[in-house]
Amino acid sequence: MPTIEAELKNLMVAGLDGDATAHRSLLERLSRHLRGYYKGRLARIGRGATEAEDLVQEALLAIHTQSHTYDPAEPFTPWLHAIARYKLIDHLRRTRASLADVPINEAGDVMARDDHAGAESAYDLHRLLSRLPQKMRRAIQCVKLDGLSVAEAAGRCAMSEAAVKVSVHRGLRALAALIAREKKS
Amino acid sequence: MKTDDLIAMLSTNVDPVDRGQVVRVVSIAILVGGAAALGAMLFTLGARTDLSEVSTLTYLPLKLFFTMGTLVLTSIALTKLARPGGERTTPVTLVALPLLVIMLVAAISLAATPSSHWEQMIVGDQWLECLLSIPIIAIVPFAVIILALRRAAPTDLVRTGALGGMAAGAVSAAAYAFHCVDDSLPFVALWYGGTIALCTLAGATLGPRLLRW
């Protein structure tokens, strides 16, 4: 455990400084931990793997868009566990499951592991994107999906570089909100 | 959507993250809320005119010490509660310290006074105005503080909402103190403390609805 904590924390801090490779390997490692965590929890109330994958993706999106709330002076695992747990409780509330059936408070096994390559959620990224305001959609398309640099994206979308960055950031947050809203209906 | 695709998307073109954002946004919200509360007090109620009297010079600093003390402690706690898991490491009961101190001092001052004066000391002249003004002035600061907290990720929405309400109540009470002419400690303990508690309760009730993410 202590070594996993140190490794994950290093990746997180490097990611906060803008290291894309570290950020990627952090999200990859966390996706395996989160998958194990959510599958374990949901299996006990007879829910399937797709639903667990929905949660994995929501948690990853939250970890990414809320990374500014991580204080590097604090350990990383409790921050991660708080997000994973919050998303689980929120999910169970929205889908009207009884919280009593799922053991939410046992910490620790947020470090469970499940490597299921190519796992898929029920969300359709392109359909979700199409519901975002045009500015955010185009910014995410250019910078996050086509891999253009911010400067190139700014040229293509006729926006300033700062506006592109803001649109990407807001767009990802809006995406997370869309997913949450979709679930309630 | 494949999880691998999501990860690829999120880790394409990663920008450095502004780590000071939570503290900065909460501080700005408190300052803006403070300015709004002070403005509301000046334009609707007006500051007390006896600012150089001895009684004013004794009691205004006491009222400010209590309200600002509460405000500073709640603000610090909010910058921690706004983060996932922050509730685990933040001793939130500490924010009630100024209230406990003022209640203690108020009790002592009552004990030292003949009971015939108690009614005047506790009820004062403007208790109703105080009871209404502090929660009403707190509405705008509360909204600003909630907006700031929504830019972070609290995971204990009841406690975070409660402290948001408490900070708004404290900022409002601090502004109201410049208007209030009831100079007695029991009055401050009861009406200021009571209205701040009311704001805390309102925040705790609204928190889960307003702060969800």
Side-chain angles (χ1 to χ4, degrees):
Chain A
M1 271 300 263
T3 51
I4 295 181
E5 157 69 28
E7 284 171 31
L8 293 178
K9 183 169 178 170
N10 284 340
L11 290 173
M12 178 72 186
V13 173
L16 286 176
D17 290 332
D19 180 340
T21 322
H23 191 57
R24 181 176 192 127
S25 66
L26 175 75
L27 294 180
E28 276 167 357
R29 291 188 57 166
L30 295 186
S31 73
R32 295 195 284 271
H33 291 311
L34 290 166
R35 189 171 298 122
Y37 173 79
Y38 286 132
K39 269 190 175 171
R41 295 298 146 95
L42 291 176
R44 288 181 227 199
I45 53 165
R47 305 265 186 114
T50 309
E51 206 171 311
E53 207 58 31
D54 289 358
L55 273 168
V56 170
Q57 296 188 2
E58 274 174 62
L60 287 175
L61 206 51
I63 288 160
H64 179 86
T65 54
Q66 306 290 359
S67 59
H68 65 280
T69 63
Y70 174 61
D71 178 359
E74 302 284 335
F76 176 73
T77 328
W79 182 82
L80 170 69
H81 182 253
I83 291 183
R85 180 176 176 275
Y86 179 85
K87 284 291 169 190
L88 176 62
I89 294 175
D90 194 53
H91 174 82
L92 295 175
R93 284 219 179 99
R94 289 184 202 272
T95 55
R96 298 199 180 82
S98 163
L99 293 179
D101 297 336
V102 189
I104 282 161
N105 278 317
E106 290 163 30
D109 57 346
V110 75
M111 283 304 145
R113 284 186 64 129
D114 188 325
D115 320 83
H116 176 57
E120 225 171 313
S121 71
Y123 304 129
D124 180 338
L125 179 62
H126 290 279
R127 199 175 51 75
L128 286 170
L129 277 180
S130 72
R131 287 168 58 194
L132 289 183
Q134 193 202 10
K135 224 168 133 184
M136 294 179 189
R137 185 174 70 237
R138 289 184 65 186
I140 290 180
Q141 181 71 44
C142 291
V143 177
K144 290 291 185 182
L145 295 172
D146 300 346
L148 296 185
S149 73
V150 172
E152 288 166 333
R156 196 196 281 183
C157 305
M159 287 197 264
S160 71
E161 290 187 25
V164 169
K165 283 188 191 179
V166 170
S167 295
V168 169
H169 187 69
R170 289 203 182 139
L172 290 176
R173 289 183 70 117
L175 207 61
L178 270 182
I179 288 176
R181 216 174 307 147
E182 186 154 278
K183 219 181 240 177
K184 221 177 352 182
S185 56
Chain B
M1 166 167 47
K2 283 191 177 155
T3 301
D4 293 341
D5 294 342
L6 177 71
I7 293 173
M9 176 175 100
L10 295 179
S11 47
T12 306
N13 287 320
V14 175
D15 272 324
V17 171
D18 175 6
R19 299 178 196 182
Q21 199 184 319
V22 174
V23 173
R24 198 177 57 245
V25 170
V26 170
S27 317
I28 291 174
I30 300 285
L31 290 177
V32 170
L38 213 54
M41 182 278 296
L42 282 175
F43 288 113
T44 57
L45 301 168
R48 63 192 290 179
T49 45
D50 54 350
L51 279 169
S52 54
E53 301 276 326
V54 179
S55 160
T56 313
L57 290 177
T58 331
Y59 280 92
L60 184 58
L62 275 172
K63 290 172 185 170
L64 288 179
F65 170 76
F66 164 52
T67 52
M68 296 301 277
T70 304
L71 179 63
V72 168
L73 291 178
T74 45
S75 308
I76 294 171
L78 275 178
T79 62
K80 302 198 186 291
L81 282 179
R83 306 167 192 272
E87 66 275 9
R88 283 164 186 243
T89 52
T90 317
V92 278
T93 39
L94 217 66
V95 299
L97 204 63
L99 180 64
L100 289 179
V101 170
I102 198 105
M103 281 167 64
L104 196 69
V105 183
I108 293 170
S109 82
L110 276 183
T113 319
S115 55
S116 54
H117 287 68
W118 283 9
E119 194 184 337
Q120 177 59 27
M121 285 171 82
I122 295 172
V123 180
D125 298 320
Q126 305 285 345
W127 66 272
L128 185 62
E129 184 195 70
C130 175
L131 179 63
L132 294 175
S133 301
I134 293 179
I136 291 173
I137 295 175
I139 292 174
V140 174
F142 182 68
V144 180
I145 291 166
I146 289 292
L147 280 180
L149 293 172
R150 283 180 61 88
R151 302 187 61 155
T155 46
D156 185 335
L157 305 188
V158 174
R159 263 190 236 182
T160 312
L163 284 208
M166 195 176 204
V171 107
S172 167
Y176 181 75
F178 287 96
H179 165 77
C180 168
V181 287
D182 278 298
D183 291 331
S184 98
L185 284 168
F187 182 91
V188 174
L190 179 61
W191 301 107
Y192 283 45
T195 45
I196 292 176
L198 216 60
C199 295
T200 310
L201 202 65
T205 314
L206 293 170
R209 250 175 277 171
L210 298 177
L211 296 172
R212 217 167 186 191
W213 50 280

